[in-house]
Amino acid sequence: HVAAFPLVKPDDPNSLKDALALRAQFAGIPNLTLPGVKVFADGVVEYPSQSAAMTAPYANTGKYGDLLFKPANFAKLCIAADKQGLIVHTHAIGDLAVHEALNGYEAARKANGNSGLPHTITHLQFVRSEDIDRFKPLGIVAAYQLLWAEYGFDTIDLIKPYVAGDIYAWQYPARSMLDAGAVIAGASDWPVSTPEVFKGIYQAETRLGEWHGEKGALDASQDMPREAMLYAYTINAARAMKEEASIGSIEAGKAADFALVDRDVLTVPAEQMRDTKVLWTMVAGEWVYRAKE
């Protein structure tokens, strides 16, 4: 199943028209949907790029990163896309980018009412505490790559010396968002990082890593329950693609898509769960993969 989200640029007035034309061009193709559009709100936070849009400046440059659209234009795009039945799926890493993405979605809800479309923010590396409670009432999906929530060089050396302390404290705040009622969807950002689900679940659950020979956790208070992560990678991921009526759970009338794994992933210790292997895979009622014995 492929759910494609064409890239649009809020500051380009023709961008959404092009995406709508693409959706019409590829309508009716089996196992392909174009349920929404993709927007980049900013870049990445790590030194030396530091292009993630922040509400406080980077300590070494005094710059705030790069917000890649004018907020008013993004709000217009959200309103227009929502009217057309399109999900807006936004890359946002810095806390300012997340805040402005939420503002755009809020504008769409106010203008159009609640369409029920699962508008989504992905990555969410830094989220201000005051923005966490906005996800549930706005019906926004938080698509996380929690494989990245690791205590290590990338999350400490490349970030901590440069990012304001009150922002850094909210790095990948998945548990706080879950507790606030946000829908957490599991994502990989493949091919940037591995698509192996169980490694992602392990990292979300433990947030462990090694930094200069010291083992630790990247804010253990943000650990995710394993069951919540299994929902994240199944029905919630389907919801983010507007596919929950046909995939994402084992129910009568849904596609017969299954994976058989080699251990009980709900009960084994985290270190064992991380190495779970897929034995068989079924798609649409047909076995398409069997592991070599």
Side-chain angles (χ1 to χ4, degrees), residues 94-145:
D95 67 320
L96 177 62
V98 172
H99 181 78
E100 292 298 350
L102 289 169
N103 286 348
Y105 295 148
E106 187 173 48
R109 298 298 193 215
K110 287 180 178 178
N112 302 335
N114 187 359
S115 64
L117 287 169
H119 299 308
T120 300
I121 303 178
T122 191
H123 304 321
L124 296 156
Q125 189 165 357
F126 295 101
V127 186
R128 286 277 183 173
S129 58
E130 55 265 32
D131 279 332
I132 287 175
D133 287 331
R134 300 176 68 192
F135 280 77
K136 182 180 179 181
L138 289 174
I140 306 306
V141 175
Y144 263 116
Q145 294 78 18

Side-chain angles (χ1 to χ4, degrees), residues 142-203:
Y144 263 116
Q145 294 78 18
L146 291 172
L147 179 76
W148 302 343
E150 181 179 7
Y151 183 81
F153 182 79
D154 288 351
T155 54
I156 303 175
D157 294 70
L158 298 183
I159 300 174
K160 191 172 184 179
Y162 312 109
V163 171
D166 62 331
I167 299 175
Y168 183 81
W170 291 93
Q171 190 168 184
Y172 299 117
R175 182 59 174 267
S176 291
M177 296 183 72
L178 179 71
D179 291 345
V183 174
I184 307 293
S188 69
D189 210 45
W190 182 86
V192 173
S193 55
T194 179
E196 294 184 67
V197 167
F198 297 105
K199 286 181 170 57
I201 294 175
Y202 167 83
Q203 202 58 50

Side-chain angles (χ1 to χ4, degrees), residues 37-264:
V37 294
K38 175 72 177 284
V39 175
F40 281 88
D42 64 349
V44 297
V45 70
E46 291 85 4
Y47 175 86
S49 176
Q50 297 180 327
S51 52
M54 313 296 274
T55 58
Y58 292 96
N60 58 319
T61 65
K63 297 179 180 180
Y64 290 78
D66 303 313
L67 188 65
L68 299 179
F69 51 64
K70 295 178 180 178
N73 288 342
F74 179 69
K76 289 178 183 177
L77 171 70
C78 290
I79 293 167
D82 187 79
K83 282 183 179 178
Q84 294 286 347
L86 290 170
I87 301 165
V88 180
H89 183 104
T90 304
H91 161 120
I93 285 180
D95 67 320
L96 177 62
V98 172
H99 181 78
E100 292 298 350
L102 289 169
N103 286 348
Y105 295 148
E106 187 173 48
R109 298 298 193 215
K110 287 180 178 178
N112 302 335
N114 187 359
S115 64
L117 287 169
H119 299 308
T120 300
I121 303 178
T122 191
H123 304 321
L124 296 156
Q125 189 165 357
F126 295 101
V127 186
R128 286 277 183 173
S129 58
E130 55 265 32
D131 279 332
I132 287 175
D133 287 331
R134 300 176 68 192
F135 280 77
K136 182 180 179 181
L138 289 174
I140 306 306
V141 175
Y144 263 116
Q145 294 78 18
L146 291 172
L147 179 76
W148 302 343
E150 181 179 7
Y151 183 81
F153 182 79
D154 288 351
T155 54
I156 303 175
D157 294 70
L158 298 183
I159 300 174
K160 191 172 184 179
Y162 312 109
V163 171
D166 62 331
I167 299 175
Y168 183 81
W170 291 93
Q171 190 168 184
Y172 299 117
R175 182 59 174 267
S176 291
M177 296 183 72
L178 179 71
D179 291 345
V183 174
I184 307 293
S188 69
D189 210 45
W190 182 86
V192 173
S193 55
T194 179
E196 294 184 67
V197 167
F198 297 105
K199 286 181 170 57
I201 294 175
Y202 167 83
Q203 202 58 50
E205 180 180 343
T206 67
R207 297 176 69 99
L208 294 174
E210 188 169 317
W211 176 67
H212 297 289
E214 172 192 42
K215 292 183 179 180
L218 184 71
D219 188 359
S221 70
Q222 294 298 335
D223 65 319
M224 286 288 286
R226 191 178 304 176
E227 186 172 344
M229 289 307 301
L230 289 167
Y231 279 110
Y233 279 107
T234 52
I235 191 63
N236 290 352
R239 184 173 292 120
M241 299 182 290
K242 210 165 74 171
E243 292 280 314
E244 69 272 24
S246 57
I247 62 173
S249 60
I250 300 173
E251 298 179 60
K254 288 195 174 185
D257 297 347
F258 308 101
L260 176 67
V261 296
D262 65 351
R263 65 202 72 186
D264 184 344

